[in-house]
Amino acid sequence: QVQLVESGGGLVQAGGSLRLSCAASGRTFSSYTMGWFHQAPGKEREFVVTISWSGGDTYYADDVKGRFTISRDNAKNTVYLQMNSLKPEDTAGYYCAASPLRRPRRSTEYRYWGQGTQVTVSS
């Protein structure tokens, strides 16, 4: 069992940065692939990025490549999402999730989810 709690969301101007954190409980955190998704009002939850258990393999959605960076610290049971050059279209709830699979990109491939943190980017 893994419980996930996101933090770090907020209101930022276009071009600004935010760093999201996802703290996990459970001794098996380091064995899971971790991912971030976002969901805007009225839209489906969409894949953003995933990182392997070791941190050595990452995969980004095209619209965040070069702007967002995922990392993890297994000693702290935490995964991070550094978001730079934010755009108004990045406005959404951001959710972290844990999966036993490699490079999972569909929400159905994730087993555990956090409650989300809101990111709002003003123009």
Side-chain angles (χ1 to χ4, degrees), residues 2-5 7 19 21-30 34 53 71-80:
V2 177
Q3 294 183 323
L4 305 171
V5 179
S7 61
R19 188 194 195 202
S21 298
C22 174
S25 64
R27 286 176 285 182
T28 59
F29 169 78
S30 61
M34 298 299 295
W53 68 270
S71 61
R72 68 188 295 165
D73 185 339
N74 288 339
K76 295 182 178 180
N77 278 11
T78 303
V79 62
Y80 304 97

Side-chain angles (χ1 to χ4, degrees), residues 20-48:
L20 306 184
S21 298
C22 174
S25 64
R27 286 176 285 182
T28 59
F29 169 78
S30 61
S31 66
Y32 283 93
T33 297
M34 298 299 295
W36 287 93
F37 284 72
H38 63 200
Q39 186 169 21
K43 294 188 176 182
E44 294 186 354
R45 193 165 293 188
E46 296 179 339
F47 170 79
V48 176

